[in-house]
Amino acid sequence: MTDTTGRQRHLIAAYSAYYENLSPDTVDQLSSMVTADFAFTDPFTTVIGPDKVCAYLAKTFSETENPKFDVTHTAFDGDMAFLRWTFSARMRVIGQWDITGMTALTFNKDKSLLTSHVDHWDASQNFYAKIPVLGWFIRRLARRVAAL
């Protein structure tokens, strides 16, 4: 294992632990792992800068009950790492919310910090389809497309 790979593994282990232990008290501990222009993207938004990302993640605790991330798999490929994870929480509008997703992470040049985080998960089935009325429309549309 080269030093660069060791740095990558250490950083991704720390980043995974950050999410698995995310709480209102720990949400601001992101800065030591990311660049000043770190970009976070999920199916809802893109946020740039560690302070803005922390503020965005902090909303998880005001908008959900018992949010929990579990990182289940990690993979590396050059200047990228990939995390497979599960997230669970309870939301007033949709009830219990359980999703499985994947995150693509990019490293800076010396692989000591992360420059971006891009989440990939099916928002149509795992979020929008659970919202009353809108969910009915999405499920019906999905059935019609599947029948083609």
Side-chain angles (χ1 to χ4, degrees), residues 92-106:
R92 273 176 284 172
V93 175
I94 64 173
Q96 185 59 35
W97 189 25
D98 297 297
I99 59 175
T100 298
M102 196 274 304
T103 300
L105 300 162
T106 56

Side-chain angles (χ1 to χ4, degrees), residues 10-133:
H10 178 74
L11 178 57
I12 295 305
Y15 194 73
S16 297
Y18 169 78
Y19 275 93
E20 291 182 327
N21 298 299
L22 195 62
S23 74
D25 296 329
T26 64
V27 73
D28 64 347
Q29 296 175 359
L30 179 67
S31 296
S32 66
M33 295 178 275
V34 301
T35 60
D37 61 347
F38 177 71
F40 174 97
T41 301
D42 69 14
F44 303 122
T45 194
T46 295
V47 182
I48 298 176
D51 291 341
K52 289 181 180 176
V53 173
C54 289
Y56 179 69
L57 294 173
K59 289 188 333 182
T60 303
F61 299 99
S62 62
E63 297 177 2
T64 69
E65 296 174 23
N66 303 317
K68 178 72 176 137
F69 286 94
D70 287 306
V71 176
T72 59
H73 298 84
T74 305
F76 295 87
D77 187 15
D79 66 344
M80 295 188 76
F82 304 91
L83 304 177
R84 183 174 166 94
W85 46 264
T86 59
F87 173 78
S88 63
R90 183 157 186 77
M91 292 186 76
R92 273 176 284 172
V93 175
I94 64 173
Q96 185 59 35
W97 189 25
D98 297 297
I99 59 175
T100 298
M102 196 274 304
T103 300
L105 300 162
T106 56
F107 296 96
N108 66 347
K109 189 174 181 177
D110 72 358
K111 298 180 176 47
S112 62
L113 296 171
L114 296 170
T115 59
S116 71
H117 168 131
V118 179
D119 279 343
H120 300 276
W121 54 275
D122 185 355
S124 67
Q125 292 301 312
N126 289 300
F127 183 77
Y128 297 117
K130 295 181 180 202
I131 298 172
V133 180

